[in-house]
Amino acid sequence: MTAEPTRDAPTASPGDSARGEPPAGSADLSRFLNASFVRHDTWDRLRAASERMSRGVRPEGSRREVAEALALLKPIELYWAFPGRRALRQLEELVSEENWGLLARRVGRVSRLLASGTYRRRATAAANERSWEEDVDLDSGAGLGEDVESRPYFEVLVVDDLGEEEEDEVRRRLLELRADDDPFVYDLVVVPSLEDALIAVLFNYGIQSCVVRYSVPLRSEQRLEVLQGYLAALGPHRLDEELDGKSSITLGRLLREVRPELDLFLVTDVPVDDVAGGRLPFRRVFYRQEDYAELHGNLLKGVGDRYRTPFFSALKSYSQRPTGVFHAMPLSRGKSIARSHWIQDMARFYGHKIFQAETSATTGGLDSLLQPQGTLREAQDLAARAFGAKRTYFVTNGTSAANKIVAHALLQPGDIALVARDCHKSHHYAMQLAGALPFYLDPYPLSEYSFYGAVPLRQIKAQLLALRAAGKLDRVRMLLLTNCTFDGITYHPERVMQECLAIKPDLVFLWDEAWFAFATFHPTLRRRTGMEAARRLRDRFKTPEYRRTWERWRERWEALPDDESRWLDHELLPDPDRARLRVYVTQSTHKTLTALRQGSMIHVFDQDFERVSADSFTSAYMTYTSTSPNYQILASLDIGRRQVELEGYELVQRCIELSMTLRRRLASQPLLDRYFRVLGAAEMVPEEFRPSGLTGYYDPQTGWVRMEEAWARDEFALDPTRVTVWIAGVGMDGDAFKEHLMDSFDIQINKTSRNTVLFMVHIGTTRGAITHLIEVLTRIAQDLEERHEDLGPAERELYRRRVRALTEELPPLPNFSRFHRAFLSSPDAKTREGDLRSASFLAYDGERCEHLPLDGTLRAEVEAGREIVSAGFVTPYPPGFPVLVPGQVLSPEILHYLEKVEVKEIHGYRPELGLRVFRREALEKYEEQKA
């Protein structure tokens, strides 16, 4: 689905329309990003037009604009409780009465409440029910008889083909049950059809619960194209198929797919056994004769179940107890600080509550991370539900530890693991510690931007076939890929796992989603997460339809020539009787969701976990997990899960919208476009991997481009929240530009390459941050323009040389070379997996190693014919992964890259000494011992 906008979009520059879009009254809405852009823009225009009418300015044109705006809002407000259709009707009455002053005041208030989002922190339902004949002040709460509402507010979708009077009756009977001591406040949105319900839950992120009437109509009467576009999020589903009178069951399943966190309720007149066979997608089924009080209670309970944070609540409760401390940790309850004369500033900086919650005990409602039985176990179970896993484990020492836990649990010495060579360095160390033999896979290079893409599926299949031909397929245990990469390139996990399982039915998959935890909470992005892909494959493999498809495929397959091309050139389908879904995902929750630093999770969807891996996983978890975990990190993981289950969809929509705004502003302003070019799919994903033909998300000439087809079909898709900007025109490399942003403008970024910088837009990014970034880049561009005007011939040539160095003289990105024969799995090995562990431990003896500097000494040795073998990991930052691992032969391409790369950090390389390599005699002696 296209990104959902919010009022956090940056203010337009002078002469620019509100978001670079045509007037809301225009018949052509195609250049709006989606319906939320239209909604907010139209309310702004209605406010401006009604204010002009109240002042008598251009009355004829302003009256027409008021009428056009109200007409456009009418189908849009169907999907919202505030202000909703009822408020629109009252505004239309004011127009018919020509009460322009009151109209302007009320439209202005609604516009401000929508812009700020404060309508969700007030008793808005009461405001909607009050007659608009009274001039109530919605901004301050005066006239409502209530203070600002502190209870969380949500909206309930009712799907039923009701008349206006029936709708008012349902609303009245349900809302009158609300009480002051209810934990939450809600209001109702009523829509008449299945299509309207799907549009509503994708358009209105405030909906938390859906009440569906049995056998609702299929089609929406709202044919506004910008609203119909939301149905594209359903992917290949056809809504014109025969529903056999069970549209509510179909709707429930579709709602569960696009927004699985919602509470779904069915209201029916027929016995539940007659509703549908199999498992219903509803939390509860009600009969028409049952009273509204039970439904009201279930609505509150459903949201309450997601709101519950067992460990965070237990920690809060513990901190409030007057506990005498006779266990470890003098810091506990702030005692060692309170008695100090010298560290009172620590208490002032952090506040007292963080110390009240510090303890080394697992009593008083708390729990043990290593053997959770109470609140921590509940918190992890809730996280598993939220992320679609069978099991979830909290990790308090980062995803580096999470990666080692999974590798240690699932790999034994001698197992072969197919590993993307650009994976995080923790995976390389995990291979070393587990004694597994890594078989490195090369991602496609993007040499013109000095970073790598991802590993093509064809290469993965080819290497699996090579291992099978060598008689080693039984030793292949795992495929490890980074999804998505730091630069935002995402795999198609469902397709990757499907085709690999056709070759190796018991293959284990580890998806490193350190940067992708947020994707679970967006219907389009979710499909490319490991957990969702595992669920889809599991459900598909169990169906009779898949078995028939597989049998037909098998017949065609056996008729093809028996050569490698049939495996590489055709889509593969696994045998449903043999394929096992064994999928693990590691996530740096703290990187893209709300959690304290080093807060991470491991998600498990392993059909053989209890039978095969439970004990080894527990052992590995014990190995890498501290017996004294940070309780604040654990509590943040618990409450971060609550946040994304209740507002994750909204938050992800907002950050996508902000990233789209950043793209548009950079592409639309000629001055910025001269120095800063946003890289799109065309630059970052080769055409052969993009059958959709998508080249980017925004084009100044054609406007916004929908991304659903690309995310459904393409082998690789580009994460819209990551904005990679080419900066070679500035004349600075990425590292220097990063320092300039921080030192001069207090803008901090993580990732750079030789000629790009990455701006990550996440759920904590604000409109102000985007606006500040645009202003800073504009200022830099203006400074460059002024500076270039004053340059003399020599300075101009110097600038051209700098740009040429960043565009035409980039070192090519090297592929993995090979392991030295001493570290191959066997002397006559025909495949390239290597014994990383043996090479690492051999290098522990310093006398077996020497240092060769990059001052020409190393090149001279290579040109003399010496086989240089690395004795350690060599990791330039950027790109941030090892270009050499222990036991790897230094190729001429890697040497050239190291000589040309201009970065300040190369871990494993000491400039004053040189590259640490094995001595020739040490390798010869080791080979003799092995023989």
Side-chain angles (χ1 to χ4, degrees):
M1 190 178 69
T2 15
E4 185 70 37
T6 70
R7 293 296 292 171
D8 279 352
T11 304
S13 58
D16 196 11
S17 62
R19 290 168 188 83
E21 315 294 359
S26 169
D28 180 17
L29 303 177
S30 61
R31 290 183 65 82
F32 281 93
L33 181 59
N34 55 25
S36 282
F37 266 65
V38 177
R39 184 186 188 221
H40 291 302
D41 194 86
T42 305
W43 274 105
D44 286 345
R45 295 178 187 277
L46 177 59
R47 174 184 52 78
S50 61
E51 286 177 355
R52 288 197 299 270
M53 282 300 298
S54 70
R55 301 194 309 270
V57 178
R58 294 194 295 110
E60 189 172 327
S62 298
R63 182 192 294 268
R64 184 177 64 254
E65 288 184 41
V66 167
E68 289 175 345
L70 287 173
L72 185 53
L73 286 171
K74 194 168 185 177
I76 288 175
E77 289 301 325
L78 168 69
Y79 304 104
W80 296 81
F82 181 85
R85 290 183 300 167
R86 298 166 75 243
L88 276 185
R89 287 197 295 268
Q90 295 173 9
L91 294 178
E92 289 171 337
E93 290 175 6
L94 292 177
V95 172
S96 65
E97 297 167 1
E98 298 194 351
N99 192 342
W100 304 112
L102 188 54
L103 175 72
R105 288 196 296 275
R106 290 179 177 167
V107 170
R109 289 176 187 134
V110 169
S111 184
R112 288 194 298 274
L113 287 169
L114 288 175
S116 64
T118 50
Y119 77 93
R120 299 163 73 179
R121 298 194 292 275
R122 301 173 186 274
T124 55
N128 278 346
E129 292 160 18
R130 293 287 300 275
S131 170
W132 283 60
E133 294 175 3
E134 298 180 36
D135 194 10
V136 296
D137 186 347
L138 293 177
D139 285 331
S140 67
L144 299 179
E146 298 182 47
D147 294 328
V148 172
E149 180 61 64
S150 60
R151 294 173 293 174
Y153 164 84
F154 66 96
E155 296 188 357
V156 176
L157 179 68
V158 176
V159 189
D160 201 348
D161 191 13
L162 300 173
E164 190 174 312
E165 291 186 6
E166 287 180 284
E167 179 181 330
D168 288 343
E169 176 65 10
V170 170
R171 181 186 302 276
R172 182 190 64 79
R173 294 190 61 182
L174 197 53
L175 296 189
E176 69 184 4
L177 293 169
R178 296 173 309 178
D180 291 341
D181 58 353
D182 285 344
F184 314 109
V185 178
Y186 66 84
D187 200 355
L188 300 185
V189 180
V190 181
V191 299
S193 72
L194 181 149
E195 282 189 341
D196 286 316
L198 291 168
I199 293 170
V201 299
L202 293 169
F203 181 19
N204 182 349
Y205 40 70
I207 292 172
Q208 296 291 342
S209 305
C210 299
V211 181
V212 180
R213 179 75 171 89
Y214 182 59
S215 194
V216 296
L218 171 62
R219 293 298 180 192
S220 168
E221 294 182 1
Q222 312 297 332
R223 308 318 298 174
L224 197 62
E225 186 177 350
V226 75
L227 291 171
Q228 291 288 311
Y230 283 102
L231 298 177
L234 301 176
H237 291 289
R238 292 183 58 198
L239 297 181
D240 57 352
E241 62 189 3
E242 179 60 50
L243 296 179
D244 194 24
K246 296 175 181 177
S247 57
S248 58
I249 309 302
T250 299
L251 175 58
R253 289 173 179 151
L254 290 173
L255 291 174
R256 183 67 64 207
E257 185 170 318
V258 296
R259 285 191 62 186
E261 77 277 10
L262 297 180
D263 297 311
L264 307 182
F265 303 94
L266 177 64
V267 178
T268 179
D269 292 326
V270 299
V272 68
D273 292 341
D274 296 336
V275 172
R279 186 175 179 180
L280 293 174
F282 298 97
R283 181 184 178 99
R284 175 81 182 270
V285 177
F286 292 96
Y287 292 91
R288 177 65 80 181
Q289 65 267 24
E290 294 179 1
D291 62 24
Y292 285 86
E294 193 167 359
L295 176 57
H296 170 76
N298 275 271
L299 291 171
L300 297 179
K301 184 178 185 300
V303 173
D305 285 348
R306 283 179 279 151
Y307 189 81
R308 190 166 60 91
T309 48
F311 186 76
F312 175 65
S313 299
L315 193 60
K316 284 198 300 181
S317 177
Y318 170 85
S319 71
Q320 294 163 3
R321 298 174 62 175
T323 307
V325 178
F326 291 95
H327 58 78
M329 293 186 67
L331 184 70
S332 181
R333 313 197 75 82
K335 299 295 186 181
S336 63
I337 300 174
R339 297 173 59 85
S340 172
H341 298 291
W342 293 94
I343 60 172
Q344 290 298 306
D345 54 338
M346 184 179 184
R348 290 192 295 270
F349 181 75
Y350 286 106
H352 73 282
K353 287 188 177 180
I354 190 170
F355 305 115
Q356 290 291 106
E358 279 291 355
T359 180
S360 64
T362 57
T363 56
L366 302 179
D367 202 355
S368 167
L369 180 60
L370 293 177
Q371 196 169 11
Q373 301 295 327
T375 54
L376 266 175
R377 181 169 182 173
E378 288 182 70
Q380 293 182 145
D381 288 345
L382 290 173
R385 179 187 70 187
F387 286 90
K390 289 179 174 290
R391 296 169 178 268
T392 289
Y393 295 84
F394 289 173
V395 179
T396 60
N397 45 343
T399 306
S400 293
N403 293 333
K404 293 167 187 171
I405 290 169
V406 176
H408 196 156
L410 300 173
L411 296 171
Q412 299 180 33
D415 283 347
I416 297 173
L418 276 66
V419 182
R421 70 174 299 259
D422 64 334
C423 64
H424 188 263
K425 65 180 183 179
S426 61
H427 292 292
H428 302 273
Y429 288 112
M431 297 296 119
Q432 171 190 323
L433 292 168
L437 307 178
F439 187 117
Y440 286 116
L441 305 170
D442 289 312
Y444 64 81
L446 294 166
S447 295
E448 61 270 44
Y449 306 117
S450 296
F451 59 81
Y452 289 86
V455 181
L457 176 56
R458 184 183 181 89
Q459 184 192 154
I460 298 171
K461 292 195 295 183
Q463 302 303 349
L464 282 172
L465 294 174
L467 287 162
R468 187 180 68 174
K472 299 178 181 178
L473 193 61
D474 61 317
R475 294 171 56 193
V476 177
R477 188 69 52 214
M478 176 185 288
L479 172 63
L480 192 165
L481 298 171
T482 303
N483 186 48
C484 64
T485 69
F486 207 152
D487 301 286
I489 297 170
T490 63
Y491 287 85
H492 196 313
E494 187 175 348
R495 183 181 170 195
V496 170
M497 293 193 292
Q498 170 193 300
E499 298 212 36
C500 288
L501 289 173
I503 302 172
K504 172 76 173 171
D506 61 346
L507 187 63
V508 179
F509 300 90
L510 171 54
W511 296 98
D512 182 341
E513 295 183 3
W515 300 96
F516 210 44
F518 69 95
T520 298
F521 306 97
H522 187 280
T524 299
L525 309 188
R526 183 186 307 119
R527 296 188 64 151
R528 289 190 177 241
T529 64
M531 290 294 97
E532 175 69 4
R535 181 196 67 81
R536 285 174 175 269
L537 288 173
R538 189 271 316 269
D539 292 349
R540 184 149 58 93
F541 291 168
K542 292 194 303 184
T543 63
E545 291 80 9
Y546 176 79
R547 181 172 294 279
R548 289 192 292 269
T549 299
W550 177 78
E551 289 171 350
R552 290 193 298 268
W553 173 86
R554 188 68 184 175
E555 290 177 4
R556 295 193 301 270
W557 173 259
E558 291 177 348
L560 294 172
D562 188 12
D563 56 25
E564 188 177 82
S565 65
R566 72 170 180 170
W567 294 90
L568 298 179
D569 298 338
H570 297 84
E571 180 180 4
L572 309 181
L573 296 182
D575 184 342
D577 292 329
R578 299 181 61 208
R580 304 294 291 170
L581 270 303
R582 306 196 62 201
V583 185
Y584 293 75
V585 165
T586 55
Q587 287 179 344
S588 294
T589 315
H590 65 98
K591 283 187 169 74
T592 62
L593 298 177
T594 300
L596 292 176
R597 189 169 179 83
Q598 291 196 315
S600 298
M601 296 187 191
I602 300 171
H603 303 300
V604 180
F605 198 113
D606 185 349
Q607 291 179 306
D608 294 335
F609 186 82
E610 291 294 340
R611 183 176 63 86
V612 177
S613 304
D615 291 339
S616 62
F617 190 94
T618 299
S619 176
Y621 192 73
M622 296 275 188
T623 300
Y624 294 98
T625 301
S626 171
T627 56
S628 302
N630 187 308
Y631 274 12
Q632 318 311 320
I633 295 177
L634 293 172
S636 74
L637 290 171
D638 192 16
I639 202 163
R641 185 276 314 159
R642 177 215 279 177
Q643 180 184 39
V644 290
E645 271 205 294
L646 289 166
E647 57 181 344
Y649 175 55
E650 173 184 359
L651 294 172
V652 176
Q653 290 282 42
R654 179 179 297 159
C655 76
I656 291 176
E657 186 275 336
L658 288 174
S659 72
M660 294 297 189
T661 299
L662 179 58
R663 282 181 168 85
R664 181 183 64 80
R665 296 293 296 276
L666 288 174
S668 300
Q669 296 187 22
L671 176 61
L672 289 175
D673 189 49
R674 198 170 303 151
Y675 297 100
F676 307 106
R677 177 163 57 89
V678 176
L679 302 186
E683 291 82 14
M684 297 178 68
V685 180
E687 188 175 3
E688 64 190 285
F689 305 126
R690 290 184 286 111
S692 71
L694 180 77
T695 58
Y697 294 132
Y698 180 79
D699 182 89
Q701 281 70 47
T702 59
W704 303 109
V705 181
R706 301 193 67 89
M707 67 182 182
E708 290 85 1
E709 183 186 0
W711 277 73
R713 293 180 56 201
D714 291 355
E715 182 169 343
F716 303 112
L718 190 60
D719 175 9
T721 70
R722 284 169 171 76
V723 183
T724 299
V725 178
W726 182 83
I727 60 161
V730 176
M732 289 186 192
D733 64 37
D735 201 44
F737 191 74
K738 171 184 175 180
E739 290 189 10
H740 181 54
L741 288 178
M742 186 62 190
D743 295 343
S744 301
F745 304 104
D746 295 324
I747 290 178
Q748 188 172 359
I749 59 176
N750 288 92
K751 169 74 164 59
T752 67
S753 74
R754 184 77 181 278
N755 56 19
T756 69
V757 295
L758 174 65
F759 297 110
M760 292 182 58
V761 183
H762 48 68
I763 66 171
T765 305
T766 64
R767 179 182 79 177
I770 295 291
T771 302
H772 179 53
L773 176 59
I774 293 294
E775 291 172 347
V776 164
L777 295 180
T778 301
R779 191 185 312 174
I780 292 172
Q782 290 171 341
D783 289 345
L784 286 168
E785 288 286 289
E786 294 175 3
R787 198 177 309 158
H788 289 168
E789 292 176 359
D790 300 332
L791 291 179
E795 290 83 359
R796 287 184 183 277
E797 178 58 28
L798 180 61
Y799 168 76
R800 282 194 288 267
R801 283 205 302 268
R802 286 201 300 263
V803 173
R804 190 162 53 246
L806 296 172
T807 56
E808 301 174 16
E809 301 171 1
L810 299 170
L813 297 175
N815 286 330
F816 181 80
S817 53
R818 58 185 173 84
F819 282 102
H820 185 270
R821 60 185 174 274
F823 305 112
L824 293 174
S825 57
S826 59
D828 59 345
K830 297 179 181 179
T831 54
R832 63 184 194 182
E833 70 277 4
D835 189 351
L836 191 65
R837 182 185 180 91
S838 294
S840 299
F841 282 107
L842 187 67
Y844 275 27
D845 185 346
E847 294 189 358
R848 294 170 175 158
C849 305
E850 62 179 319
H851 289 85
L852 297 176
L854 283 169
D855 59 0
T857 305
L858 188 56
R859 175 161 291 279
E861 290 286 332
V862 172
E863 291 176 350
R866 178 179 170 183
E867 200 171 39
I868 305 296
V869 181
S870 177
F873 293 96
V874 180
T875 309
Y877 277 82
F881 65 87
V883 297
L884 285 170
V885 301
Q888 181 183 346
V889 174
L890 177 73
S891 66
E893 293 79 13
I894 295 174
L895 175 58
H896 179 65
Y897 180 80
L898 290 174
E899 288 174 333
K900 294 294 184 180
V901 70
E902 295 179 6
V903 297
K904 293 183 177 179
E905 285 186 73
I906 302 181
H907 296 182
Y909 173 74
R910 297 175 62 182
E912 71 277 14
L913 295 177
L915 191 70
R916 190 166 183 259
V917 302
F918 285 109
R919 295 182 183 275
R920 277 179 288 197
E921 55 270 24
L923 291 173
E924 292 169 358
K925 185 175 181 180
Y926 181 70
E927 286 187 88
E928 291 175 3
Q929 291 173 347
K930 284 185 64 177

